C-alpha cells in the first residue's frame, strides 16, 4: 500500500517549508502536511496528500501541474472554501501565524478577502452577471470595512483606476458583460486587492484570456505585488507564466508535491520525469517550427485509487533506469536535488541530472545543452512572456 | 425598452385577433348551431329556425358578422337577441344566449373573486415553494432535503381535485376548522369574511402548486450555489446569509419567474376545480357553465379574456427578465 500520510519533508535548511531565499521573516502562509479528501458515491477522492509549503511576504510561489493534480484544491483549502460537510481535511494551514484549518465559517470569513484573496480563472463566470462591477468591488470592501456605500464606491473607482481600467469613474457602473475579457480580469484583480490582502492566490489567472492580454495581466500582477508587498501563489499549467512570475515553483502530481525549488532550479535542472514532461510539452516559439511537441503519455491517474508507489510510474518513461520494482512499490520521499539548496524532488532515479542533460534537453532545446552544462539558464519562451522576470539578468537574451 | 413593449403589445394584439377568428370559426362551423339555443326542442320547426337565424343575423356572410362582433371592442352595440334588443355597452363581446346580458360584463363582475383566489393562492405557493426549495438546496443530500423532495412528489401524485375535495369535506363540513368557503367582497362584507371564505382555497392552491415550485427552486438554487460567482462571493468574505440571498437567490429566481408568470395567468383565467369545490362564483365556473349550456358568446369571450391574460403575462415576464438580468436587452 501507498503511504497516505507522511511527515512534512525534512530537507535541511531549504525545502518545501522554507523559501530558498531564506530571509529572517516568518512565512505568511505555512501549509503543513495538508490532506484533502472528498467522499463521493464512488469512494474517497484523495485530492491532496501530505502537502507542505510556505510563502513569504512579497514572494511568489508557482504551483504547476495538470488538471486534477490538486493545485486548485489545495489553494481553495487555504481560502477555507471547501464545504466542511463534504470534505475531509487534516494537517495545518497557518495564515499570518493563525491556524485556519477547521476554523468556524464566521471566523474564516474575516480572513477571506481581507488577508487572503483569490483571483479566479474565468472572470466572466467569477463575476456576478447581475451586479455592476463597481458594486461588486465595493461589496468586497464593505465586507471588511465599516464604511458608507459612497466611500466604498470611491474606493472601487480608485482600484479600477489602479488596475488600468480607462475612465474608471464611468466604467464603475458597467456590468461585467460590458467589459472585455482582459478588463474583467483587471476588475477581478481590483476586487481581490481592494482590502490590501497579504496573500493573493491567482488560480490560472490568464488561462481564459487572449494571449495578447495574458502578458498585460501578468505584468499588472507583478507591478501590484511590488506596491502592496503581498505574497502571491500563482496556480498554472503554463511554465511560461511560472518563468515570468514565480520565485519558487512547486510541481504537483496526483495530489502530492513531486518537485520543489527556485524557478531557476526547476527550469534549468529539473530532476523529476514529470517536470521534464511538462517542459517538453511547452511549445517554444524560437524552436524549429517542424519540431513536434512531446506530450506526456497517458492520462492523470484516478484519485479514487491512486497508483501504488510513485503515482507517476504508469506514465514514466524512465522506470527501467530504477533498480527493481521500486517505482511500483515504494513512494519516493522528497529528497534534495543535486543543484543547490532548497531543491527537492520525489523520484527514485539514481542520476536524474545526467538523464536530463543527455536525453531530455537535446529534444526540447538542442541549442541549450551546452549552456545548461555550463549552468546557464535555458530560455523557455512558451508564451513569449520572458522579459522582466526576477532573475532576468541570468537569462540569455532573445536570439 | 419602450419600443420593445409597444412591439410586444402589437404582437399580442395580433395573437388575440387570431384567437378571436378561431373562436368565431368554431362558432360558425362548429357542431352547435347557435340558433338552436333559442329553439326549444319540442316546438322547433325548420321555419322557426330560419327565422331565428335571420333575427340573430346568422344568415349574413361570416366576415361581415366578424367585423360587427369586433366592433364591440371599440364601441357599444345594440344586439337583437331572440326578439329582444339588448344594450351591450363597451367593451362588448356579445350577449349571452342564456342570461341576455353582455358577456364581458358578466365575466368581469366575477373577476374579483377569481383574482382573489389566484393572488392569495400564488402568495401561498410562492412562500411555501420557495422557502422549502431553498431550504432543501442548502441542505442538499441531507434527510431534510430528501424529506422535502419526497413530500413534494407525494403531494404532486394526488390529483388536486381529490385533495381539495377531501380538505373541504373534512376541514369545513366535518371538523368545521374553516368557515364555509366562498367569495365575499372585502369592501362590502369586511376583510374577515373575505379572508375566512378564501383561507382554505388559498391553502389548498398553495400546497398543490408549491410542490413544483419547491422542486424547481431547489434545482435552480443548487445550480446557482455551484456557480463561480457564488464562490467569488464567499472568497470576498461575505457572510453566508448575504452569499445565499444576494448572490445565489438572485440568479435562482430567474427561471422561477418564467413559470410563475404563466401559472398566474392560468390562475387568473379561472381556477375551475377550486371554484367548483369551494363554491366560489368566479370566471372559471362561469366558463364551465357556458360550455355545459353551449352559450357560445360566453365561451368565446371567456377564451379571449384567458388568451389576453396569457399574452400579457408573457410580456410582463419578459420585462421582468430585463429588470433581473442586465444582460437581457429588450429590443
Amino acid at each position: 500500500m501507498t503511504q497516505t500520510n507522511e511527515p512534512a519533508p525534512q530537507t535541511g535548511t531549504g525545502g518545501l517549508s522554507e523559501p530558498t531565499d531564506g530571509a529572517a521573516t516568518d512565512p505568511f502562509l505555512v501549509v503543513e502536511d495538508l490532506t484533502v479528501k472528498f467522499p463521493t458515491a464512488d469512494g474517497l477522492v484523495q485530492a491532496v496528500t501530505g502537502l507542505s509549503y510556505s510563502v513569504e511576504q512579497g514572494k511568489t510561489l508557482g504551483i504547476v501541474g495538470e488538471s486534477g493534480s490538486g493545485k486548485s484544491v489545495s489553494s481553495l483549502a487555504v481560502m477555507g472554501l471547501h464545504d466542511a460537510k463534504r470534505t475531509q481535511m487534516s494537517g495545518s494551514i497557518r495564515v499570518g501565524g493563525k491556524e485556519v484549518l477547521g476554523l468556524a465559517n464566521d471566523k474564516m470569513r474575516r480572513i477571506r478577502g481581507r488577508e487572503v484573496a483569490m483571483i479566479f480563472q474565468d472572470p466572466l463566470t467569477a463575476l456576478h452577471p447581475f451586479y455592476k462591477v463597481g458594486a461588486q468591488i465595493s461589496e468586497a470592501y464593505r465586507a471588511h470595512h465599516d464604511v458608507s456605500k459612497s466611500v466604498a464606491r470611491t474606493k472601487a473607482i480608485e482600484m479600477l483606476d489602479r488596475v488600468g481600467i480607462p475612465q474608471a469613474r464611468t466604467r464603475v457602473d458597467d456590468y461585467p458583460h460590458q467589459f472585455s475579457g482582459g478588463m474583467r480580469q483587471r476588475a477581478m484583480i481590483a476586487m481581490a486587492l481592494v482590502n490590501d490582502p497579504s496573500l493573493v492566490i491567482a488560480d490560472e489567472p490568464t488561462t481564459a484570456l487572449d494571449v495578447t492580454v495574458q502578458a498585460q495581466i501578468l505584468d499588472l500582477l507583478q507591478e501590484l505585488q511590488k506596491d502592496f508587498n503581498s505574497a502571491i501563489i500563482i496556480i498554472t499549467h503554463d511554465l511560461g507564466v511560472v518563468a515570468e512570475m514565480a520565485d519558487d515553483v512547486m510541481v504537483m502530481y496526483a495530489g502530492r508535491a513531486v518537485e520543489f525549488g527556485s524557478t531557476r532550479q526547476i527550469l534549468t535542472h529539473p530532476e523529476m520525469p514529470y517536470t521534464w514532461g511538462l517542459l517538453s510539452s511547452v511549445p517554444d516559439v524560437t524552436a524549429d517550427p517542424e519540431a513536434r511537441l512531446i506530450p506526456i503519455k497517458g492520462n492523470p491517474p484516478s484519485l479514487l485509487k491512486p497508483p501504488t508507489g510513485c503515482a507517476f510510474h504508469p506514465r514514466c518513461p524512465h522506470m527501467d533506469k530504477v533498480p527493481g520494482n521500486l517505482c511500483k512499490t515504494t513512494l519516493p520521499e522528497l529528497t534534495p536535488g543535486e543543484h543547490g539548496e532548497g531543491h527537492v524532488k520525489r523520484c527514485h532515479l539514481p542520476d536524474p541530472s545526467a538523464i536530463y542533460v543527455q536525453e531530455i534537453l537535446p529534444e526540447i532545446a538542442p541549442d541549450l545543452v551546452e549552456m545548461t552544462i555550463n549552468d546557464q539558464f535555458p530560455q523557455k519562451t512558451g508564451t513569449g512572456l520572458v522579459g522582466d522576470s526576477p532573475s532576468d539578468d541570468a537569462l540569455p537574451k532573445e536570439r | 425598452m419602450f419600443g420593445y413593449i409597444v412591439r410586444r403589445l402589437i404582437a399580442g394584439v395580433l395573437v388575440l385577433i387570431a384567437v378571436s377568428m378561431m373562436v368565431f370559426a368554431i362558432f360558425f362551423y362548429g357542431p352547435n348551431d347557435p340558433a338552436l339555443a333559442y329553439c326549444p326542442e319540442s316546438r322547433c320547426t325548420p321555419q322557426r329556425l330560419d327565422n331565428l337565424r335571420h333575427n340573430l343575423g346568422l344568415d349574413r356572410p361570416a366576415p361581415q358578422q366578424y367585423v360587427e362582433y369586433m366592433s364591440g371592442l371599440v364601441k357599444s352595440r345594440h344586439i337583437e337577441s331572440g326578439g329582444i334588443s339588448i344594450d351591450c355597452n363597451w367593451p362588448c363581446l356579445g350577449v349571452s344566449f342564456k342570461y341576455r346580458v353582455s358577456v364581458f360584463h358578466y365575466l368581469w363582475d366575477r373577476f374579483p373573486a377569481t383574482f382573489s383566489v389566484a393572488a392569495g393562492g400564488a402568495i401561498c405557493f410562492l412562500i411555501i415553494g420557495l422557502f422549502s426549495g431553498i431550504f432543501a438546496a442548502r441542505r442538499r443530500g441531507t434527510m431534510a432535503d430528501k424529506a422535502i423532495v419526497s413530500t413534494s412528489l407525494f403531494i404532486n401524485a394526488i390529483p388536486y381535485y381529490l385533495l381539495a375535495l377531501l380538505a373541504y369535506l373534512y376541514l369545513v363540513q366535518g371538523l368545521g376548522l374553516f368557515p364555509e368557503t366562498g367569495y365575499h367582497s372585502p369592501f362590502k362584507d369586511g376583510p374577515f369574511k373575505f379572508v375566512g371564505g378564501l383561507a382554505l382555497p388559498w391553502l389548498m392552491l398553495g400546497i398543490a402548486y408549491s410542490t413544483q415550485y419547491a422542486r424547481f427552486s431547489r434545482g435552480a438554487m443548487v445550480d446557482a450555489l455551484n456557480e463561480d460567482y457564488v464562490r467569488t462571493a464567499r472568497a470576498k468574505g461575505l457572510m453566508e446569509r448575504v452569499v445565499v440571498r444576494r448572490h445565489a437567490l438572485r440568479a435562482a429566481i430567474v427561471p422561477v419567474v418564467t413559470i410563475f408568470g404563466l401559472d398566474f395567468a392560468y390562475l387568473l383565467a379561472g381556477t375551475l376545480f377550486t371554484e367548483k369545490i369551494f363554491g366560489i362564483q368566479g370566471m372559471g365556473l362561469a366558463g364551465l357553465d357556458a360550455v355545459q349550456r353551449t352559450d357560445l358568446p360566453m365561451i368565446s369571450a371567456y377564451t379571449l379574456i384567458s388568451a389576453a391574460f396569457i399574452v400579457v403575462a408573457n410580456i410582463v415576464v419578459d420585462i421582468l427578465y430585463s429588470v433581473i438580468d442586465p444582460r437581457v436587452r429588450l429590443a
Side-chain angles (χ1 to χ4, degrees):
Chain A
M1 269 311 287
T2 7
Q3 278 176 275
T4 48
N5 233 352
E6 65 188 80
Q10 333 86 344
T11 46
T13 47
L16 286 189
S17 299
E18 241 172 284
T20 40
D21 285 37
T25 49
D26 273 346
F28 179 73
L29 173 72
V30 181
V31 175
E32 267 174 18
D33 197 20
L34 176 70
T35 295
V36 183
K37 294 176 187 173
F38 302 108
T40 67
D42 300 325
L44 204 56
V45 174
Q46 298 167 30
V48 172
T49 310
L51 186 68
S52 302
Y53 64 89
S54 62
V55 191
E56 250 177 80
Q57 206 80 59
K59 294 284 176 189
T60 302
L61 170 70
I63 302 182
V64 192
E66 286 164 296
S67 322
S69 59
K71 50 196 192 332
S72 291
V73 170
S74 60
S75 46
L76 287 175
V78 173
M79 293 288 288
L81 283 176
H82 289 300
D83 186 345
K85 278 175 248 157
R86 274 184 265 277
T87 320
Q88 297 172 6
M89 284 191 281
S90 66
S92 161
I93 299 170
R94 289 194 300 281
V95 173
K98 282 187 297 270
E99 177 62 47
V100 299
L101 197 68
L103 206 61
N105 193 40
D106 59 325
K107 291 209 176 96
M108 190 66 218
R109 157 187 108 63
R110 288 170 213 283
I111 293 169
R112 260 184 239 144
R114 173 161 202 135
E115 289 178 44
V116 188
M118 194 148 180
I119 299 165
F120 293 100
Q121 175 172 353
D122 185 353
L124 183 59
T125 57
L127 290 168
H128 201 299
F130 296 176
Y131 294 105
K132 290 170 180 170
V133 172
Q136 298 190 47
I137 297 172
S138 31
E139 188 185 38
Y141 191 64
R142 271 161 57 93
H144 301 286
H145 295 85
D146 189 14
V147 296
S148 71
K149 279 190 178 169
S150 64
V151 171
R153 186 187 150 87
T154 315
K155 183 79 185 170
I157 295 170
E158 184 193 314
M159 284 310 293
L160 284 175
D161 192 50
R162 184 71 197 76
V163 298
I165 302 280
Q167 286 125 33
R169 202 163 289 281
T170 53
R171 299 311 294 261
V172 72
D173 288 324
D174 276 1
Y175 288 98
H177 70 271
Q178 293 166 306
F179 273 29
S180 69
M183 278 165 74
R184 275 197 284 268
Q185 195 57 295
R186 283 172 194 268
M188 195 75 215
I189 292 170
M191 195 159 88
L193 292 178
V194 70
N195 289 308
D196 194 5
S198 305
L199 171 65
V200 176
I201 301 175
D203 189 351
E204 308 248 3
T206 55
T207 308
L209 300 177
D210 217 306
V211 201
T212 51
V213 181
Q214 291 185 350
Q216 295 172 11
I217 294 294
L218 293 181
D219 285 346
L220 175 68
L221 274 176
Q222 284 187 320
E223 194 187 310
L224 292 169
Q225 181 177 28
K226 273 178 213 143
D227 295 358
F228 288 80
N229 190 35
S230 45
I232 293 183
I233 294 177
I234 189 151
I235 300 168
T236 181
H237 58 261
D238 187 337
L239 288 167
V241 171
V242 163
E244 158 135 4
M245 295 284 295
D247 299 304
D248 297 315
V249 180
M250 176 164 74
V251 181
M252 284 188 76
Y253 188 78
R256 288 178 202 269
V258 294
E259 188 159 11
F260 179 93
S262 68
T263 305
R264 189 186 159 135
Q265 284 167 336
I266 296 295
L267 294 183
T268 52
H269 298 290
E271 296 188 12
M272 160 79 198
Y274 177 61
T275 315
W276 299 344
L278 286 178
L279 284 166
S280 316
S281 48
V282 172
D284 184 345
V285 285
T286 61
D288 177 8
E290 298 294 312
R292 302 184 68 158
L293 292 179
I294 308 153
I296 305 174
K297 286 195 182 69
N299 291 313
S302 155
L303 294 172
L304 279 168
K305 249 187 98 191
T308 56
C310 172
F312 189 59
H313 86 256
R315 301 169 75 185
C316 185
H318 304 281
M319 238 193 358
D320 54 339
K321 300 183 186 77
V322 176
N325 242 349
L326 218 51
C327 291
K328 281 185 190 159
T329 56
T330 313
L331 175 75
E333 294 293 319
L334 281 168
T335 47
E338 292 162 16
H339 292 269
E341 282 193 359
H343 183 188
V344 287
K345 91 278 185 183
R346 196 187 282 281
C347 187
H348 289 306
L349 277 179
D351 190 6
S353 290
I355 300 171
Y356 178 67
V357 173
Q358 283 157 25
E359 292 183 28
I360 313 297
L361 208 52
E363 296 231 22
I364 55 178
D367 47 330
L368 287 183
V369 176
E370 208 54 35
M371 282 190 215
T372 308
I373 290 168
N374 298 330
D375 201 17
Q376 288 293 314
F377 197 99
Q379 185 184 10
K380 290 300 297 181
T381 42
T383 50
L385 293 179
V386 176
D388 51 358
S389 88
S391 39
D392 206 6
D393 47 345
L395 291 171
K397 288 295 168 209
E398 191 104 30
R399 285 164 297 154
Chain B
M1 176 85 162
F2 180 73
Y4 172 82
I5 295 171
V6 169
R7 275 197 302 281
R8 282 300 303 265
L9 283 174
I10 292 170
V13 167
L14 292 176
V15 168
L16 290 178
I17 288 173
V19 170
S20 70
M21 283 179 173
M22 274 185 263
V23 170
F24 206 78
I26 296 168
F27 208 123
F28 263 85
Y29 307 109
N32 282 298
D33 186 342
L36 273 176
Y38 290 91
C39 192
E41 263 174 68
S42 50
R43 287 171 288 135
C44 196
T45 58
Q47 175 64 40
R48 189 179 169 137
L49 213 52
D50 280 344
N51 281 340
L52 271 171
R53 289 209 180 93
H54 182 73
N55 283 344
L56 288 168
L58 294 174
D59 51 354
R60 283 173 294 155
Q64 194 187 335
Q65 289 193 57
Y66 178 75
V67 169
E68 213 165 280
Y69 175 69
M70 294 308 281
S71 73
L73 286 175
V74 288
K75 63 177 174 70
S76 301
R77 290 168 63 199
H78 282 285
I79 292 180
E80 296 293 324
S81 180
I84 323 165
S85 171
I86 296 166
D87 282 330
C88 180
N89 292 327
W90 177 88
C92 176
L93 292 174
V95 165
S96 164
F97 289 166
K98 292 292 166 193
Y99 303 107
R100 310 278 165 97
V101 292
S102 158
V103 286
F104 179 83
H105 295 94
Y106 181 84
L107 289 171
W108 193 244
D109 284 346
R110 291 163 166 251
F111 183 69
T114 294
F115 180 80
S116 303
V117 171
I123 290 168
C124 286
F125 69 65
L126 280 182
I127 290 173
I128 303 173
L130 290 180
F131 269 87
S132 51
I134 293 162
F135 184 87
R138 291 191 58 192
R139 286 157 190 78
R140 184 160 49 109
T142 63
M143 286 307 289
D145 175 28
K146 284 169 189 158
I148 287 172
V149 172
S150 44
T151 308
S152 111
L153 285 170
F154 178 72
I155 295 174
N156 216 27
I158 308 172
Y160 172 65
Y161 54 85
L162 185 66
L163 199 69
L165 195 59
L166 288 176
Y168 177 75
L169 289 176
Y170 280 96
L171 301 179
V172 178
Q173 299 282 330
L175 299 169
L177 288 175
F178 287 87
E180 182 58 59
T181 54
Y183 175 71
H184 306 280
S185 162
F187 309 108
K188 267 188 271 166
D189 306 317
F192 291 107
K193 241 183 150 191
F194 169 73
V195 173
L198 292 177
L200 191 59
W202 286 340
L203 193 64
M204 294 326 289
L205 272 180
I207 290 171
Y209 272 82
S210 69
T211 57
Q212 65 158 344
Y213 281 83
R215 278 174 289 132
F216 210 71
S217 58
R218 178 188 176 277
M221 196 66 184
V222 165
D223 287 348
L225 285 168
N226 282 326
E227 289 283 357
D228 282 358
Y229 50 76
V230 169
R231 187 181 57 184
T232 308
R234 290 213 178 92
K236 283 198 246 183
L238 298 177
M239 279 181 284
E240 188 62 18
R241 189 163 44 86
V242 180
V243 171
V244 170
R245 286 195 202 153
R246 206 185 296 164
H247 291 261
L249 187 58
R250 174 83 188 264
I253 212 78
V254 174
V256 176
V257 164
T258 323
I259 56 164
F260 176 70
L262 290 177
D263 274 348
F264 195 63
Y266 286 123
L267 283 178
L268 283 183
T271 47
L272 202 56
F273 288 125
T274 309
E275 289 176 14
K276 183 87 180 161
I277 290 166
F278 296 109
I280 298 157
Q281 294 300 316
M283 292 204 326
L285 216 49
L288 179 68
D289 183 60
V291 171
Q292 282 165 345
R293 295 167 191 268
T294 41
D295 193 345
L296 287 168
M298 190 75 92
I299 296 171
S300 55
Y302 178 70
T303 313
L304 269 180
I305 291 172
S306 307
F309 283 139
I310 288 165
V311 165
V312 170
N314 271 310
I315 298 174
V316 169
V317 164
D318 282 355
I319 292 169
L320 274 181
Y321 266 163
S322 75
V323 172
I324 298 174
D325 187 344
R327 287 170 302 178
V328 177
R329 288 256 184 82
L330 299 183

